[in-house]
Amino acid sequence: MDTATHTVMGIGLGGLATIDPAISPEGGAMGTILIATIIGSQAPDFDTVLKLKNNAVYIRYHRGPTHSIPAVLIWPVLLAAIIYMFSPEIAFSHLWLWSFIAVALHVFVDIFNAYGTQALSPFTRRWIALGVINIFDSVIFFSHLFVFILWWFDVPRAPSMIVLYVFLLLYYLWRFQARNIVLQRARRLHPDATHLFISPTYNWYRWHLVIRTPHKLFVTNYRNGRLRYFETYPFEPIPDDPIINAARDDRNLASFLSFSPTYRWIVRNTDEGYEVKFIDLRYRSKGYYPFVAVVQLNGELEVMTSYTGWIFSDDTLHKKLDKGRAFSYYTQ
């Protein structure tokens, strides 16, 4: 989920924590627990700092190690230990418990969107992405805000949060049902489909869907009970080609391939050599595929520049590649 949603979830957990006999709604312990649940709800995303290094590292590791089983166990201990040094008025065990719930909830809700996490690492590095909830869901966000308003009018915090969680459980079940209807429709139309990659949108009744069969990839959109087809591409394994093999040694393309499960590629000749472009098919928006990896090579198949990430115009992509080329030139 997005940062704002994780934040309101952390505040909500702080309110739920008043169900704990050791935490009074009016005492200093409440403020300490609220700090713990808010920070804990953000902790797994601290790996966002990897963007400062480069996109390749960020894409490869974001929602990976920091969302793994060891991280879910380590984050609460570190967080509780640091907060306890400044606020020893609350028992460490209670501080740890609510920090743990906040971290675990963060990782748990992240598996329901199309990006997913490696939540079962180190037992498996498979990405778990259920494709049920959008990265930002207005129902989840604004229902929390509504409960916070109720708190302003002295509605008890813990009972109101319990009611909210029951409501959200029903909402998630409804979203699962809606997703399954889309998948069932796609399977009826394509009984030979081997993979279905589904992504929710801001619109409850619109879904992005990539259908993979043994020979084709269909990029579609499900809206109001109908499946609309945009593009169809041949499905082929990445060929054992010298140009593509040279591009795959680049860290940006390697990171893209570690994350993207469905894509197409284009190899074209340029004045200086070759350009290899991989396009993730899951995130089509207004006729454009914004998540890409591009590697430009010279005639000797040496990488001149590359980029991976979210790009919403060709002009921006060219600027990124030119910037990478300039950086490579000055660091040689």
Side-chain angles (χ1 to χ4, degrees):
M1 306 300 290
D2 67 302
T3 300
T5 302
H6 284 306
T7 300
V8 297
M9 285 184 166
I11 296 172
L13 279 178
L16 179 66
T18 57
I19 201 172
D20 188 334
I23 302 168
S24 168
E26 307 301 331
M30 179 64 212
T32 302
I33 286 294
L34 187 59
I35 291 172
T37 56
I38 292 176
I39 298 177
S41 70
Q42 302 294 333
D45 280 347
F46 287 168
D47 60 6
T48 301
V49 299
L50 294 173
K51 280 187 175 181
L52 299 176
K53 186 172 179 62
N54 56 61
N55 268 10
V57 174
Y58 173 72
I59 290 170
R60 181 179 287 274
Y61 295 108
H62 180 54
R63 294 194 176 190
T66 57
H67 288 63
S68 65
I69 292 174
V72 171
L73 299 176
I74 294 171
W75 281 123
V77 175
L78 292 176
L79 179 59
I82 293 172
I83 295 177
Y84 186 74
M85 288 191 298
F86 297 95
S87 302
E89 71 276 0
I90 181 172
F92 180 85
S93 59
H94 292 267
L95 190 56
W96 172 87
L97 173 64
W98 289 102
S99 298
F100 172 78
I101 293 174
V103 172
L105 182 63
H106 175 120
V107 175
F108 179 71
V109 298
D110 273 356
I111 71 174
F112 290 95
N113 57 52
Y115 299 90
T117 73
Q118 292 180 325
L120 296 180
S121 177
F123 300 106
T124 174
R125 295 191 180 277
R126 184 174 66 88
W127 287 89
I128 303 173
L130 301 181
V132 176
I133 301 293
N134 198 355
I135 195 75
F136 173 81
D137 188 284
S138 58
V139 171
I140 297 173
F141 182 78
F142 288 108
S143 62
H144 277 80
L145 293 187
F146 176 73
V147 169
F148 301 161
I149 293 173
L150 295 181
W151 293 356
W152 184 264
F153 292 99
D154 294 326
V155 173
R157 297 181 182 183
S160 62
M161 285 305 301
I162 292 172
V163 172
L164 173 60
Y165 287 146
V166 171
F167 166 74
L168 290 178
L169 174 62
L170 296 175
Y171 175 67
Y172 270 71
L173 292 174
W174 173 70
R175 292 294 290 165
F176 264 106
Q177 183 183 32
R179 183 205 63 167
N180 290 341
I181 289 173
V182 177
L183 296 178
Q184 290 168 7
R185 173 67 172 168
R187 288 193 179 99
R188 284 198 299 268
L189 295 173
H190 297 275
D192 61 339
T194 59
H195 294 77
L196 300 174
F197 303 97
I198 191 166
S199 303
T201 69
Y202 292 110
N203 186 321
W204 290 337
Y205 303 101
R206 182 184 300 174
W207 304 74
H208 294 310
L209 186 66
V210 179
I211 303 169
R212 181 198 293 176
T213 69
H215 304 292
K216 291 185 178 181
L217 289 165
F218 299 92
V219 181
T220 71
N221 176 289
Y222 185 89
R223 182 178 182 182
N224 297 326
R226 297 184 60 186
L227 201 63
R228 298 191 301 161
Y229 292 79
F230 296 116
E231 288 95 24
T232 302
Y233 303 106
F235 171 65
E236 300 172 332
I238 300 176
D240 184 12
D241 175 82
I243 300 173
I244 293 182
N245 288 343
R248 291 182 69 178
D249 288 335
D250 177 76
R251 64 183 182 182
N252 280 302
L253 180 52
S255 293
F256 174 94
L257 292 175
S258 73
F259 174 75
S260 176
T262 181
Y263 44 77
R264 60 184 292 253
W265 64 87
I266 302 169
V267 179
R268 70 180 185 90
N269 295 327
T270 66
D271 293 338
E272 298 173 289
Y274 310 94
E275 180 179 275
V276 178
K277 183 176 184 179
F278 276 68
I279 304 165
D280 192 308
L281 299 178
R282 293 175 296 172
Y283 307 115
R284 187 183 190 275
S285 177
K286 299 179 180 179
Y288 195 80
Y289 295 92
F291 186 56
V292 300
V294 180
V295 182
Q296 292 182 344
L297 308 104
N298 60 24
E300 287 71 42
L301 301 185
E302 297 171 332
V303 175
M304 298 185 296
T305 184
S306 64
Y307 178 80
T308 187
W310 296 87
I311 294 292
F312 291 90
S313 75
D314 290 337
D315 288 341
T316 302
L317 176 58
H318 293 151
K319 290 178 182 177
K320 294 285 187 181
L321 291 169
D322 290 341
K323 182 179 179 180
R325 181 177 302 200
F327 179 80
S328 297
Y329 176 79
Y330 285 113
T331 55
Q332 288 179 350

